[in-house]
Amino acid sequence: MILEIKDLQLSFRSVVGTTRAVNGVSFAVQEGEIVGLVGESGCGKSVTARSVVGLVPSPPAVFEGGEIWLNTRAGKVNMLVNRGNTQVLRRIRGREVSMIFQEPMRSLHPMMPVGSQVAEGILEHEEISLNGAYARTEEMLEMVGLPQPGQLLSRYPHELSGGMRQRVMIALALACHPQLLIADEPTTALDVTIQAQILELIRDLRDRLGMSVLLITHNMGVVASTADRVSVMYLGVIVETGTVQEVFEQAAHPYTQGLLSSIPSLQSEPKTPLQSLKGVVPELALAPQGCVFADRCPEVMPICQETPPLIALSEQHMAKCWLYDSPEPASAITLESADTGPVDVEEDKSSTLPSVESERSAAAMAAAKVGVERFTVADGSAEGKITVDSDVGVRVKEMTLHYPIYKGILRRKVGTVQAVDDVDLTIYRGEIVGLVGESGCGKTSVGRLITRLVDPTAGSIQFRMNGELQDITNIPEPSMKGVRRHMGMVFQDPQSSLNPRLNVRDIVGEPLILHKIARGKEVDAHVGRLLEMVGLRAEHQSRFPHAFSGGQRQRIAIARALSTEPAFLVADEPVSALDVSVQSQVLNLLMDLQQQLDLTMLFIAHDIAVVRHISDRIAVMYLGQIVEIGSTEAICSRPVHPYTEALLASIPLPDPGVQSSRAIAAGELPDPSAPPAGCRFHTRCPYRQEICAVEEPRLRPVPGRQGYWSACHLQEELTLSGVDGVD
């Protein structure tokens, strides 16, 4: 037994009172195993893990009870007893137990080369020469898969990509060969391809070094593909624990079932509502009495006002729920779909949308649905679609965006970043096109180009406005004000995109005033209807962004984007910063709005599972170019380009018995200022041939598939694995 936590109770004291953050938590980590600790943000996972290494400051924290036993090389140590003993903590941290954090840029010192940071930990814990420490550092950087580790020793964190910085963090954590690694959301901020590489690395290092891992995450797919056992945590309480197979195959607690149901499945029907947990995690001070999950549980009973017992469903599988009073598990609980009605501040429900003045007619919505099905005739255009202009909402041709790189006092041009390179894309009225790819591929730049937030270097942009398809490429900025009334944009981080000094009325109402749609009390009425449309309450207009949860802030951002009744919406990573349960609520909302308002939408994301669920068609982008485009079903079930296969293989599946083809792309995205010659993906492609390194493939039709285009020299020869390739 490497780590054993017994009945840990931890509270935080403040001027408003005492709140219990960890309430009787007990679990253990055996030698050589990976234990997943899973739950939504605010459930107490990180504070529990930080308690192990004494990183929770006291005060304001108060440890009211429990034990934390760590089995070190010198014997067992109670970390709670020694939490104020600096000498003991310095000996244990890094040597016996190490921790890697969610955001490596904040965890690595920005003013120190990465080599010095790794070597510093080695010199602290071992009697070794400086040269020996740097030799060990280079060895560790090579072990975690970083190319040319000797050259990386003198580089600073800002010179590395996100995936490389996380690998440096892992090398730093493992430099002294600790017995326990605590990984606190180590992949949340990474692309799915880099996430898959990091998870594979953690599993491999566990096997090679024989260490144990406590993996903290809110992603059930990550747990299923990585952990041996799992504990599910909610509001400071472990509500279910067991082996990964038992918990995922026979999830007992309604909270566990809700987390699993909220994940977009690769086998589910696209564009169907996701099941989701109602509301959000409440503040600790507002936790219900008795069962902490009672206010969100679809099976709540009067007895839930009392604290439920921990019921053993098998030798290792236990759940803390009143539904089980015997070893026989109850029947599966069916979660409700999106709830109806507006949401209070403490909740975050999806809703059946009320009618509003801007709602399109039922005939128009029906025509849009029929129209999407009608786009199947190839004609030689860049996507093989019919070229009836009345069906087109947005069309870009040969769109290019290059940024010059200047250096020195004289601002001498030394290079060019090819953010977007010769992109053709058509989005038809009433459809959702998903644009997917890793960070740095140019997805956000495409959205900004279409909305003319940046001017293209070359190419043309056509946008349907007032019933006509108009060229807006060279419209001067003052004239773009009228065009942007018909466009809306939702950004990734609502915390950053909403002005914290403005209340909701001013945030949502500002576009109404700017475009002279309403003024005075008319603004209040319009904002109230918009808030109710996205599942909030009209009376919340006077509140500020900090008073809302992350999911509610994103709903406010969506209301603002829809305030001018746009026909076209760009959703740029709108759910990647949210918990999986809130993500499902926002996806359901966007699908409802698209159908109700007949919106044309560009949905940008790096997670192809999310894109698959919401989109009619998918365009796959790599290093500034679209490499594959087709219907959602065809792209995900029978991909043609190896990069698409790699994206699908990188998705962590929420089923421990199911694994993908594992054709994960090696390495990281090349520098867009110096893209590889030939096919830009050939440096990471497992199928590359000689022609791939010298000749750039063009986007061309795939034989036998109408409306399906790909840019691969080998697309007629390869048989790739998609969703149907999961076994």
Side-chain angles (χ1 to χ4, degrees), residues 124-145:
E124 170 71 22
H125 293 287
E126 298 185 19
E127 294 183 2
I128 190 172
S129 67
L130 183 63
N131 289 336
Y134 273 92
R136 171 88 67 81
T137 297
E138 186 173 347
E139 176 186 334
M140 293 304 302
L141 293 178
E142 183 178 10
M143 179 183 291
V144 297

Side-chain angles (χ1 to χ4, degrees), residues 91-402:
R91 176 175 59 84
I92 288 176
R93 292 172 182 165
R95 176 62 174 165
E96 303 291 346
V97 55
S98 287
M99 194 165 183
I100 56 177
F101 301 92
Q102 178 174 348
E103 297 187 23
M105 194 61 186
R106 296 184 180 181
S107 305
L108 295 173
H109 198 300
M111 303 298 290
M112 288 179 64
V114 296
S116 299
Q117 298 190 52
V118 178
E120 183 181 41
I122 300 173
L123 292 168
E124 170 71 22
H125 293 287
E126 298 185 19
E127 294 183 2
I128 190 172
S129 67
L130 183 63
N131 289 336
Y134 273 92
R136 171 88 67 81
T137 297
E138 186 173 347
E139 176 186 334
M140 293 304 302
L141 293 178
E142 183 178 10
M143 179 183 291
V144 297
L146 286 169
Q148 300 177 320
Q151 298 181 17
L152 292 178
L153 295 177
S154 59
R155 297 180 68 179
Y156 290 85
H158 73 270
E159 299 179 277
L160 307 180
S161 67
M164 294 174 73
R165 286 194 292 263
Q166 195 64 290
R167 289 173 184 268
V168 170
M169 276 293 301
I170 295 175
L172 192 157
L174 301 183
C176 295
H177 306 301
Q179 297 186 94
L180 174 66
L181 175 67
I182 300 175
D184 187 1
E185 299 275 10
T187 62
T188 299
L190 304 178
D191 288 314
V192 287
T193 51
I194 306 304
Q195 171 181 267
Q197 294 176 23
I198 295 298
L199 294 176
E200 187 69 34
L201 174 63
I202 290 175
R203 287 191 297 265
D204 179 61
L205 291 174
R206 185 274 304 263
D207 296 336
R208 291 166 61 184
L209 303 179
M211 65 179 180
S212 304
V213 180
L214 175 60
L215 177 64
I216 300 170
T217 181
H218 65 260
N219 190 325
M220 298 295 281
V222 168
V223 173
S225 62
T226 308
D228 302 304
R229 290 190 298 115
V230 59
S231 293
V232 182
M233 193 170 186
Y234 185 77
L235 275 186
V237 178
I238 299 294
V239 297
E240 185 167 2
T241 186
T243 65
V244 167
Q245 287 75 16
E246 286 178 316
V247 171
F248 278 77
E249 293 173 6
Q250 299 179 349
H253 199 280
Y255 180 58
T256 309
Q257 295 179 350
L259 291 177
L260 290 170
S261 299
S262 299
I263 302 173
S265 171
L266 289 174
Q267 283 76 33
S268 65
E269 184 70 23
K271 306 213 61 171
T272 56
L274 287 165
Q275 290 185 332
S276 63
L277 291 165
K278 68 177 182 179
V280 294
V281 179
E283 295 290 335
L284 291 171
L286 301 176
Q289 298 294 320
C291 176
V292 291
F293 188 62
D295 63 334
R296 301 176 68 191
C297 182
E299 296 290 324
V300 64
M301 302 175 291
I303 197 174
C304 296
Q305 296 179 9
E306 302 176 19
T307 302
L310 187 64
I311 302 297
L313 304 176
S314 70
E315 184 177 350
Q316 298 190 60
H317 188 192
M318 290 173 282
K320 200 166 190 177
C321 183
W322 283 111
L323 289 171
Y324 307 104
D325 55 4
S326 68
E328 295 297 326
S331 58
I333 299 171
T334 303
L335 295 176
E336 298 293 335
S337 297
D339 292 340
T340 59
V343 191
D344 202 352
V345 170
E346 289 76 19
E347 299 181 342
D348 192 6
K349 304 174 185 176
S350 301
S351 63
T352 302
L353 302 174
S355 59
V356 294
E357 294 176 2
S358 61
E359 183 177 352
R360 273 57 166 180
S361 66
M365 290 189 287
K369 294 179 182 178
V370 173
V372 173
E373 298 173 357
R374 195 172 63 240
F375 305 143
T376 56
V377 182
D379 71 340
S381 65
E383 300 169 51
K385 299 291 183 180
I386 60 176
T387 56
V388 179
D389 283 352
S390 61
D391 293 326
V392 176
V394 176
R395 177 188 287 153
V396 297
K397 292 184 177 180
E398 300 177 353
M399 186 170 64
T400 300
L401 178 63
H402 289 175

Side-chain angles (χ1 to χ4, degrees), residues 380-584:
S381 65
E383 300 169 51
K385 299 291 183 180
I386 60 176
T387 56
V388 179
D389 283 352
S390 61
D391 293 326
V392 176
V394 176
R395 177 188 287 153
V396 297
K397 292 184 177 180
E398 300 177 353
M399 186 170 64
T400 300
L401 178 63
H402 289 175
Y403 291 107
I405 303 174
Y406 297 106
K407 190 174 183 180
I409 298 177
L410 300 178
R411 304 293 291 166
R412 179 171 54 90
K413 182 180 177 180
V414 296
T416 302
V417 174
Q418 301 178 27
V420 179
D421 200 10
D422 200 25
V423 164
D424 289 355
L425 179 65
T426 301
I427 306 175
Y428 297 97
R429 291 192 299 165
E431 79 164 341
I432 300 177
V433 170
L435 186 60
V436 65
E438 296 168 280
S439 298
C441 281
K443 307 184 302 297
T444 294
S445 294
V446 169
R448 290 176 174 269
L449 282 166
I450 292 176
T451 53
R452 280 289 310 279
L453 294 179
V454 293
D455 294 327
T457 305
S460 65
I461 306 168
Q462 294 177 306
F463 177 70
R464 180 167 300 282
M465 186 173 59
N466 299 324
E468 297 182 2
L469 198 63
Q470 302 180 22
D471 192 314
I472 64 171
T473 312
N474 299 310
I475 292 180
E477 187 59 32
S479 301
M480 275 300 299
K481 178 180 176 181
V483 177
R484 291 202 181 101
R485 172 176 176 171
H486 303 278
M487 298 175 169
M489 194 159 187
V490 182
F491 300 94
Q492 176 176 352
D493 185 5
Q495 182 73 29
S496 300
S497 62
L498 300 179
N499 191 331
R501 297 183 179 181
L502 297 181
N503 61 24
V504 172
R505 188 265 188 193
D506 292 337
I507 289 172
V508 179
E510 185 177 35
L512 297 170
I513 298 172
L514 181 66
H515 292 284
K516 300 180 180 178
I517 297 172
R519 60 182 179 180
K521 292 186 177 180
E522 293 178 344
V523 175
D524 298 340
H526 275 71
V527 172
R529 285 195 293 269
L530 287 163
L531 292 179
E532 290 178 352
M533 184 192 303
V534 298
L536 296 173
R537 294 186 183 276
E539 53 266 29
H540 292 163
Q541 295 186 45
S542 61
R543 303 191 181 186
F544 289 81
H546 71 268
F548 297 88
S549 69
Q552 289 172 324
R553 284 194 289 265
Q554 197 62 289
R555 290 171 183 263
I556 295 169
I558 294 170
R560 179 182 59 184
L562 297 176
S563 61
T564 59
E565 303 179 8
F568 175 62
L569 184 68
V570 176
D572 187 5
E573 299 272 14
V575 298
S576 62
L578 305 177
D579 280 322
V580 64
S581 56
V582 181
Q583 171 185 279
S584 64

